[in-house]
Amino acid sequence: MDAVLSLLVEQPVLLLVLLVGIGAAIGHIRVRGVGLGAAAVLFCALLLGALGASREIDLEVPHAFGTLGLTLFTFTVGIVSGAEFFASLRRSLKVIGWMIVVVAAGAGVAVGLGRLLDLSTATIAGTFAGALTNTPALAAARDAAGDDAAPTVGYAVAYVFGVVGVLIVAHLTLRSRGNDTDAPPELVERAVRVEFASGQSVRELTELYGERIAFSRLRSGSEDAAPRTALDDDVLVVGDVVTVVGPERLVEEIVAALGHVSSHQLRQDGRVVAMRRITVSSTKVAGRTLEELELHSRYGAVVTRLRRGDVDEVANSRTVLRLGDRVRIVAPRGHMGAITTLLGDSTRGFSDINPAVLGLGMALGVLLGLVVLPIPGVHVTIGAAAGTLVMGLVLGRLGRVGPFSTSMSFTAAQALSELGLLIFLAQAGLVAGGQVAPAFASGEWLRILALGAAVTTTVAVGLWCVLRRLCHVGATTASGMIAGTQTQPAVLAFANVRTGFDPRVALGYALVYPAAMIVKIVAGGILGSL
């Protein structure tokens, strides 16, 4: 065994890929439908690191690898969530406020119970950082306490339950996700015969329903007439048949308002118009809104649906296209070729990582993470992880800067995100595993473990109660917010796997992660200085 461990010491790349491969294989094992997912890599690394430490063999992957993995993960989470993050930010301020209160309560428990357990201030601060699995908070605690050893011991002992305890809470949260009221509605298509003419145009009707529905085809006159695309200025009259796409509840409302469901299926008549699902792969259109592309006026085309990842949504004038999006377009047959050329329609759209944005965006994020926060008496930065997340959110929201697209294919971003996460978990697990054995030898580990479990439970359960009972957040989004408050990628990975990478998980994570990161860094510094 010592010979194998010694080989792994000399070959850190081999060590890294072995941990990723073995951990990922174990993560795919499911018991009653539940598996660890990417978190298995973390636990494999913890065990191997502890085994090496017990034999006085220091197994490690270079710290820069872990930083690269983590920043890849946070940047790609940000860039695919940016638009939704800023759109949801105003209505999420209440949630963020309660999250800060819950983390502050965890800090209060750390101080109160830690003193009852006769632990030093430095140990309490490190235990708080480990219970909330936040390495930048540990750094702040060590700087404020002027002690590297005690906070690190507290962090190492508390860290494991900080992951396991929150994984349990996330699992229990997701058990009720079938009752989510914020789930993306299923889209339906209905052909409607107009019996009640209101004199409203297609544009007016679309705006009346908040652009959550789309009209695609319109047949006017006799039943032998060929359907054409329904354009904004068309006014529906009695006898028209029009195709409506949208969430089932809204479509039923508009059917009742206009007339009744027709037995004529306009989509089957392709004499004049055609329908095609096109992949966005052109950087010239990525980051632009459908309104800017003027498909209506230039080609007489209607975009009815957009599929991003595995989620369909109704397209509207404000929809921003991203590389890898698949759009369903209804247009005159003669114009379909030009539209296809404009959008690209290449499988490259799924794999385009937009390397210029990836490199420059991450570089700006790392630099942002070096900025010192204006906290008197404490030298604290938000770190590379939070910096790259913020920069990813900003670039994802912008979509485009002049002629340059700042978006990235959803599929490519997910692949980079998973790769970065696995690399980070392997490196972080080895570091923590190597510290566990000395921590147990300290004799304080039971008290530290009890304190860490109390802090983790307070924050995780308290956050669950706040999100589900006070803020009425859906279980799927809540699981992402719990992972984001814990600033724990393993919990996010677990929630992603359980939900099939539902975008609400990443959105919840991104909404609270930056604020949680800053609050925990500040709290770690304050606890260390008490």
Side-chain angles (χ1 to χ4, degrees):
M1 177 59 73
D2 285 356
V4 173
L5 294 177
S6 297
L7 173 64
L8 294 178
V9 169
E10 297 172 359
Q11 301 292 332
V13 174
L14 174 62
L15 172 60
L16 175 63
V17 294
L18 272 177
L19 284 172
V20 168
I22 295 172
I26 294 173
H28 279 95
I29 299 173
R30 301 172 83 72
V31 178
R32 296 188 177 183
V34 179
L36 287 175
V41 175
L42 175 69
F43 294 121
C44 285
L46 281 166
L47 290 173
L48 188 60
L51 175 63
S54 69
R55 295 172 177 262
E56 298 184 351
I57 297 175
D58 187 15
L59 292 170
E60 63 177 12
V61 169
H63 180 72
F65 279 39
T67 301
L68 174 62
L70 182 57
T71 51
L72 261 179
F73 169 76
T74 52
F75 181 77
T76 49
V77 165
I79 206 165
V80 299
S81 307
E84 292 82 1
F85 171 80
F86 286 102
S88 306
L89 186 58
R90 179 172 295 181
R91 65 175 182 267
S92 299
L93 290 177
K94 178 182 177 182
V95 170
I96 293 172
W98 274 113
M99 179 273 295
I100 293 172
V101 170
V102 170
V103 173
V109 169
V111 174
L113 183 58
R115 288 178 175 171
L116 285 176
L117 293 172
D118 196 27
L119 294 172
S120 69
T121 295
T123 302
I124 290 172
T127 303
F128 170 81
L132 301 186
T133 65
N134 192 270
T135 305
L138 170 63
R142 288 166 53 166
D143 289 344
D147 182 350
D148 286 351
T152 302
V153 169
Y155 179 88
V157 174
Y159 187 93
V160 175
F161 187 82
V163 177
V164 175
V166 180
L167 280 172
I168 293 171
V169 173
H171 167 65
L172 295 176
T173 301
L174 288 171
R175 290 179 64 180
S176 61
R177 73 187 187 98
N179 301 321
D180 279 3
T181 58
D182 62 345
E186 180 181 356
L187 302 185
V188 299
E189 179 179 293
R190 299 283 187 270
V192 185
R193 180 173 292 278
V194 179
E195 294 178 326
F196 314 111
S198 64
Q200 293 173 302
S201 66
V202 166
R203 179 189 292 108
E204 291 169 332
L205 286 169
T206 303
E207 292 174 351
L208 180 64
Y209 287 86
E211 295 195 81
R212 291 176 291 168
I213 59 169
F215 294 89
S216 58
R217 297 173 178 83
L218 172 64
R219 189 187 72 191
S220 299
S222 70
E223 293 187 357
D224 293 331
R228 58 181 177 81
T229 53
L231 301 178
D232 285 346
D233 294 333
D234 286 327
V235 176
L236 301 181
V237 299
V238 174
D240 285 350
V241 178
V242 64
T243 301
V244 185
V245 178
E248 187 171 11
R249 180 182 61 82
L250 291 182
V251 170
E252 289 175 353
E253 286 185 21
I254 202 163
V255 167
L258 294 178
H260 67 271
V261 175
S262 173
S263 59
H264 295 265
Q265 297 300 318
L266 302 186
R267 64 184 303 176
Q268 296 177 357
D269 189 335
R271 287 176 290 172
V272 175
V273 297
M275 186 277 291
R276 182 177 296 175
R277 192 182 285 275
I278 300 175
T279 301
V280 177
S281 62
S282 170
T283 56
K284 294 180 179 179
V285 301
R288 299 190 186 278
T289 65
L290 288 175
E291 185 176 34
E292 290 174 320
L293 296 181
E294 299 178 332
L295 297 180
H296 260 68
S297 59
R298 294 171 63 187
Y299 304 107
V302 179
V303 181
T304 58
R305 307 188 196 196
L306 178 143
R307 187 171 183 85
R308 184 168 291 158
D310 294 324
V311 178
D312 276 317
E313 59 186 76
V314 175
N316 60 55
S317 61
R318 300 184 305 275
T319 297
V320 178
L321 296 182
R322 298 180 187 169
L323 294 172
D325 285 349
R326 287 162 290 170
V327 290
R328 181 176 291 186
I329 293 182
V330 178
R333 285 189 170 277
H335 290 159
M336 192 63 80
I339 297 170
T340 302
T341 301
L342 174 68
L343 299 181
D345 199 31
S346 169
T347 55
R348 181 176 56 84
F350 293 112
S351 59
D352 194 339
I353 64 173
N354 201 345
V357 168
L358 178 67
L360 294 175
M362 288 183 62
L364 290 172
V366 171
L367 290 173
L368 179 61
L370 297 175
V371 175
V372 178
L373 297 177
I375 303 172
V378 183
H379 184 277
V380 177
T381 63
I382 63 172
T388 48
L389 176 67
V390 171
M391 190 54 60
L393 290 170
V394 171
L395 292 176
R397 169 63 180 86
L398 291 175
R400 195 169 197 87
V401 176
F404 303 105
S405 168
T406 61
S407 67
M408 184 183 295
S409 160
F410 182 88
T411 306
Q414 287 289 356
L416 287 174
S417 175
E418 184 171 8
L419 175 62
L421 175 65
L422 294 174
I423 292 172
F424 164 72
L425 293 177
Q427 190 272 334
L430 284 173
V431 173
Q435 295 172 344
V436 166
F440 275 75
S442 69
E444 289 183 331
W445 71 272
L446 279 174
R447 285 177 287 158
I448 294 173
L449 184 64
L451 176 60
V455 173
T456 300
T457 303
T458 298
V459 173
V461 175
L463 191 64
W464 181 90
C465 293
V466 164
L467 293 176
R468 301 288 284 145
R469 302 304 182 192
L470 294 181
C471 300
H472 306 292
V473 176
T476 305
T477 305
S479 68
M481 289 182 170
I482 290 170
T485 300
Q486 192 71 358
T487 55
Q488 180 47 253
V491 181
L492 175 61
F494 172 80
N496 273 331
V497 171
R498 286 292 309 278
T499 61
F501 286 87
D502 190 302
R504 289 171 292 169
V505 175
L507 175 59
Y509 186 90
L511 277 170
V512 300
Y513 183 101
M517 176 70 74
I518 294 170
V519 169
K520 290 195 283 188
I521 290 170
V522 172
I526 293 173
L527 294 182
S529 62
L530 291 178

